[in-house]
Amino acid sequence: MATSTAVWRVLALLVPAILLLLNAYHGTLDFRSEVSRTTLADQRADLGGPTSGLKRIALHFGRQHHAVDFSSTSDHQSLIKRADPPSNYAALVCKGGLLLESIKAAFEGSTPGISFPESELDNGWTQTSEVEEEDVEAIERRWKGTFDALFGAYPPKSDIKPVILVQNKDYDTILDDHVDRPTKAESRGFYYPGQQLAMSVVSYSAAQRILDRNRNEKPLTKAERDGLLPTIAKLSDLIWLAWSTVTSNPERLRYLARDNISNENTKAVMRYLFLRDKGQANSVVWPGLSYDGDSDEGKALLATPNGRATAWILTDHGHQMDWRLKSRQLRVYIFSYAGEYCMLWDLEPRSPHSRPKRNDHIKQHTKSQPRRSTEHRFNRGGLKDDFDAAKKQGDIAYNEMQAAFDGVCAKEVRDWDSSAFGNGWDRKQDSNSLPEPVWQDALEQVGKAPTKETSFYVDIVHDKDFTNSEGQPVQFIKSYKGSPIYAQHYIPASSAIIVGHTRSPAYVVKARFDSQGLQAPSSKQINDQYVPPLNRWSDATWTLWKEKGGGNDLRYVGRDFIQNRQTESVMNYILDQHGLGLHPFPGLEFGMDSDEGRALLGTPNGIGTARLLIDHASELGRRDVRISIFEPEDDYLCMFVDMRPAQLQSRALEERDGNSTRSLGLAQRQKESKRYMKSRL
């Protein structure tokens, strides 16, 4: 027994020495944190923890895998020293930096981007949502910790939208040639609209499938391969289109995930980072490791085969995404579950701010604050040209409002009722709920604090076929911008409407024509032929306001989270001109006797309120409109319109001549209004 023990001790000393000699002969050993695949127990072993007092890693010599035991150390230093970066790591960092610059350029609007209509999926692609139950359960096992940490819980199956796209039919190439041999390209994904997350599970690109198919037949040049590609060939485009089919708000996509990564080049980078920063790689559970997108690690991961799809989604489709997301920074998380590697990209806030305390707004509002630099914004600050254009529209809207108040040239307005929403509109949500806390505070400050029982949230989406104003059947409207939607809070007890997300049918129609490179029809043609009769925000809003018990005392219209580029540009310009930085409600207030007030009224987010006042002047009466803009959090711009009733005796139509104004009597006001409206005909 003593002799046997002595032999084992000698072998224990000789084996490491032999391995070191082999290392010198073969070059640097490639230490990979994969567990030996001989047994299931090995696969699920935690390399970072003790295993019978030993640590077990796999050394790869070419194709030979040798399992070797090392004495355990408390700080993993011996293992970390052996975590050498992949040979192409520096090149990946460089390439990732270029991809990051492309993303920033796309978000700045200096690159055109790409837009595909969903009809492109008819070009040889088959779309299904059928998945195996075991696949659903496996994904939940790997990602439950992530969802619990980020969202509080993993969503129910009914809220998860699997989309499988397979290119298994004849198709037309990008050169308009017809090919009767499918590529067999495939994209499998799980999509979570409620969490703003798109997850790619399995992907085989058309380019790779074509190369694999012809490798044993006739090797193709890159030009020959590209000539065989279908019109949609990149995984990034497939993910974006699949995401667009499962949500009416594709622009809100924030998270991009890659599940169970199998690409060895990507795994080599992740394995290196796991070993370097965690000392082991098989069970680095959430949150695992996280890196800024502009760090060397972030750039290297962005340039991997499984990171590039994220880069191309943001580059090619950044122009279609939420403007607020474009002022955020890219961050990547990597983790592993039982040896299966996962990656999550997040467009996270750059500098989150807590909501100001309720009693601090007066002091913050009156204190002069320097306007922060806008250089960090991907979408640059306000432009003078946008301000001037909005001011011109605001002047027109203001004068039409005054004419309507004076009862001059009143247009016939259709009195809609709720039955009009049956023509293609679908109520996705209609329930009692409070608006965002910032709006609860704002309404409380004006003496109109809302309650849940008197606050109604209605989300209507136009996603069904309909009949247009000419009585013709029309297929429902959708473009890369998404479906038409009006989602807002109606609070009759507070005389307020808080507008959330809006996208008019006319806007979506124009976007669809633009994406196809076609000239959009005239506004009249769109209203008559391409959209439902009830389509304008002002009409839909007034109809639902009355349905929820609202009367002619409507006074406040809040615009939450401004996303429209022109409105945001005008607001930033005004904030820059006044030298103010982050500030809560009430922010800056402007009347219609100021250029700023007229410009805000003429923005896409202000003109709807003007139209509502014009069309329903006989019911609402004369109003003195004042518009406030405020920013409770960084890159969270809001607009608050106060339509206070004006006394007829004291109200005067202002004829602006330089800095002078003059008050006019009612008869003279009507005369001026008629003259103005005649000039507009």
Side-chain angles (χ1 to χ4, degrees):
M1 179 67 67
T3 303
S4 176
T5 302
V7 170
W8 281 111
R9 288 178 177 176
V10 170
L11 289 175
L13 294 173
L14 287 177
V15 169
I18 293 171
L19 290 174
L20 290 174
L21 290 174
L22 288 171
N23 183 24
Y25 178 76
H26 288 282
T28 303
L29 295 179
D30 180 13
F31 285 76
R32 305 187 182 190
S33 59
E34 289 184 3
V35 185
S36 175
R37 300 180 180 177
T38 55
T39 66
L40 180 62
D42 286 338
Q43 286 187 353
R44 299 188 179 278
D46 182 352
L47 299 183
T51 304
S52 301
L54 301 175
K55 290 181 180 177
R56 185 178 184 85
I57 68 171
L59 299 181
H60 294 233
F61 298 93
R63 296 184 179 178
Q64 300 298 318
H65 296 201
H66 303 275
V68 181
D69 291 334
F70 287 88
S71 297
S72 62
T73 58
S74 60
D75 57 1
H76 305 296
Q77 290 302 313
S78 63
L79 187 59
I80 294 173
K81 290 179 181 179
R82 298 176 183 273
D84 297 324
S87 59
N88 64 337
Y89 186 78
L92 289 174
V93 172
C94 180
K95 184 174 182 179
L98 296 176
L99 290 172
L100 195 63
E101 290 302 316
S102 297
I103 294 172
K104 292 180 179 179
F107 282 2
E108 289 174 351
S110 54
T111 56
I114 297 174
S115 300
F116 290 106
E118 287 181 25
S119 59
E120 287 294 341
L121 291 177
D122 297 332
N123 187 24
W125 293 91
T126 297
Q127 177 176 337
T128 66
S129 59
E130 298 178 2
V131 293
E132 298 292 336
E133 185 65 25
E134 60 184 22
D135 293 336
V136 177
E137 294 173 353
I139 289 176
E140 182 175 356
R141 283 196 302 270
R142 286 190 288 270
W143 288 89
K144 188 178 187 307
T146 304
F147 278 76
D148 288 347
L150 292 178
F151 314 112
Y154 194 79
K157 293 179 181 179
S158 58
D159 293 343
I160 304 171
K161 310 298 182 183
V163 177
I164 296 91
L165 295 170
V166 181
Q167 216 280 326
N168 57 0
K169 300 177 183 177
D170 297 358
Y171 66 95
D172 293 328
T173 71
I174 56 177
L175 300 178
D176 291 331
D177 295 327
H178 186 75
V179 178
D180 58 6
R181 189 179 184 184
T183 65
K184 302 296 183 182
E186 184 176 356
S187 172
R188 293 175 177 262
F190 278 57
Y191 298 88
Y192 304 77
Q195 289 71 34
Q196 303 171 1
L197 187 149
M199 179 187 297
S200 176
V201 179
V202 176
S203 61
Y204 300 100
S205 71
Q208 189 59 49
R209 288 295 203 192
I210 291 173
L211 287 178
D212 293 343
R213 183 182 67 193
N214 289 274
R215 184 170 287 117
N216 297 326
E217 300 176 7
K218 175 187 175 184
L220 300 176
T221 64
K222 184 177 184 301
E224 290 173 331
R225 182 206 66 185
D226 291 347
L228 292 174
L229 292 177
T231 51
I232 297 181
K234 290 197 301 184
L235 174 63
S236 56
D237 296 327
L238 292 172
I239 293 175
W240 180 262
L241 279 174
W243 171 250
S244 299
T245 65
V246 300
T247 175
S248 59
N249 304 302
E251 71 281 357
R252 296 183 183 179
L253 177 63
R254 171 172 171 176
Y255 300 96
L256 289 156
R258 298 303 299 265
D259 175 64
N260 195 12
I261 293 171
S262 61
N263 185 279
E264 287 301 326
N265 293 322
T266 303
K267 292 177 69 174
V269 175
M270 296 175 69
R271 186 180 299 116
Y272 158 64
L273 295 175
F274 284 144
L275 288 174
R276 189 196 71 180
D277 294 347
K278 287 291 189 179
Q280 58 102 3
N282 189 51
S283 184
V284 184
V285 296
W286 179 266
L289 296 171
S290 67
Y291 305 100
D292 289 335
D294 56 1
S295 65
D296 284 352
E297 296 87 347
K299 293 175 183 176
L301 290 166
L302 190 65
T304 61
N306 294 87
R308 289 197 293 268
T310 294
W312 287 118
I313 287 174
L314 299 179
T315 298
D316 291 344
H317 303 283
H319 66 292
Q320 299 167 241
M321 295 184 67
D322 195 317
W323 278 94
R324 188 182 181 190
L325 294 178
K326 298 181 183 184
S327 61
R328 299 188 174 197
Q329 63 185 6
L330 195 61
R331 189 165 189 83
V332 60
Y333 296 82
I334 56 173
F335 62 97
S336 62
Y337 178 90
E340 296 165 334
Y341 289 8
C342 301
M343 181 185 297
L344 177 73
W345 293 90
D346 175 18
L347 284 170
E348 66 175 9
R350 285 182 171 271
S351 52
H353 293 269
S354 61
R355 189 164 48 89
K357 294 182 180 179
R358 185 167 298 170
N359 295 328
D360 291 345
H361 75 277
I362 298 296
K363 180 173 64 175
Q364 294 187 33
H365 177 55
T366 57
K367 181 179 178 182
S368 177
Q369 301 179 23
R371 176 66 177 164
R372 71 186 184 282
S373 169
T374 58
E375 292 178 356
H376 75 281
R377 296 171 180 258
F378 285 168
N379 51 317
R380 297 183 294 275
L383 303 176
K384 183 65 164 58
D385 291 345
D386 287 335
F387 179 87
D388 291 340
K391 166 66 168 50
K392 183 177 180 180
Q393 291 299 317
D395 287 339
I396 295 173
Y398 174 78
N399 284 297
E400 289 189 3
M401 281 167 44
Q402 299 309 311
F405 294 154
D406 292 332
V408 175
C409 298
K411 297 180 180 179
E412 182 179 353
V413 178
R414 183 170 175 178
D415 186 19
W416 300 97
D417 58 41
S418 299
S419 63
F421 291 111
N423 191 17
W425 291 96
D426 183 19
R427 295 200 186 203
K428 299 298 184 181
Q429 188 171 348
D430 189 342
S431 60
N432 289 95
S433 69
L434 287 168
E436 292 292 328
V438 63
W439 291 105
Q440 296 179 44
D441 285 354
L443 292 175
E444 182 176 348
Q445 290 176 36
V446 298
K448 293 285 189 177
T451 63
K452 184 176 180 181
E453 293 72 23
T454 59
S455 178
F456 305 92
Y457 177 73
V458 182
D459 181 351
I460 59 171
V461 177
H462 198 269
D463 58 359
K464 295 180 173 62
D465 296 349
F466 62 97
T467 302
N468 64 17
S469 297
E470 297 180 348
Q472 300 170 332
V474 181
Q475 188 176 13
F476 85 93
I477 311 161
K478 189 171 183 180
S479 75
Y480 69 88
K481 292 288 188 180
S483 297
I485 179 174
Y486 295 130
Q488 43 207 20
H489 282 85
Y490 301 85
I491 317 173
S494 301
S495 304
I497 296 172
I498 306 302
V499 183
H501 193 57
T502 63
R503 192 187 301 116
S504 72
Y507 174 80
V508 172
V509 169
K510 291 177 182 178
R512 185 170 64 183
F513 277 91
D514 290 343
S515 67
Q516 297 173 347
L518 302 174
Q519 178 67 38
S522 66
S523 296
K524 186 178 186 308
Q525 286 179 304
I526 290 177
N527 288 329
D528 291 344
Q529 302 174 16
Y530 293 89
V531 299
L534 178 59
N535 66 86
R536 294 193 307 184
W537 174 85
S538 56
D539 291 333
T541 298
W542 182 252
T543 303
L544 287 170
W545 170 255
K546 292 189 297 180
E547 176 191 303
K548 296 305 178 184
N552 298 337
D553 60 342
L554 174 61
R555 175 166 173 177
Y556 305 107
V557 175
R559 286 279 185 168
D560 182 50
F561 181 16
I562 300 294
Q563 303 173 57
N564 182 274
R565 188 203 66 79
Q566 292 123 314
T567 305
E568 187 182 36
S569 181
V570 171
M571 296 174 74
N572 278 326
Y573 177 80
I574 293 173
L575 292 173
D576 290 339
Q577 292 298 304
H578 287 264
L580 288 179
L582 189 70
H583 53 288
F585 184 84
L588 294 174
E589 184 183 77
F590 302 97
M592 292 300 103
D593 57 347
S594 67
D595 288 345
E596 293 90 342
R598 297 284 185 93
L600 291 168
L601 186 69
T603 62
N605 293 88
I607 202 71
T609 303
R611 175 52 55 189
L612 189 149
L613 286 171
I614 292 169
D615 289 347
H616 303 283
S618 61
E619 298 158 284
L620 293 169
R622 184 178 298 277
R623 298 299 181 100
D624 180 13
V625 178
R626 304 189 68 82
I627 302 179
S628 300
I629 58 175
F630 60 102
E631 191 173 20
E633 296 179 14
D634 196 18
D635 295 316
Y636 185 179
L637 292 170
C638 300
M639 181 186 295
F640 186 74
V641 183
D642 182 356
M643 306 176 292
R644 61 189 67 174
Q647 295 298 324
L648 183 63
Q649 291 81 3
S650 62
R651 180 62 186 171
L653 178 66
E654 294 178 351
E655 182 181 277
R656 308 183 74 219
D657 183 15
N659 294 323
S660 65
T661 61
R662 60 187 177 89
S663 297
L664 305 173
L666 176 58
Q668 185 65 21
R669 286 201 305 271
Q670 291 178 335
K671 181 178 179 181
E672 295 291 339
S673 295
K674 289 179 180 179
R675 185 176 64 180
Y676 169 75
M677 294 303 295
K678 185 176 180 180
S679 69
R680 296 281 298 158
L681 297 177

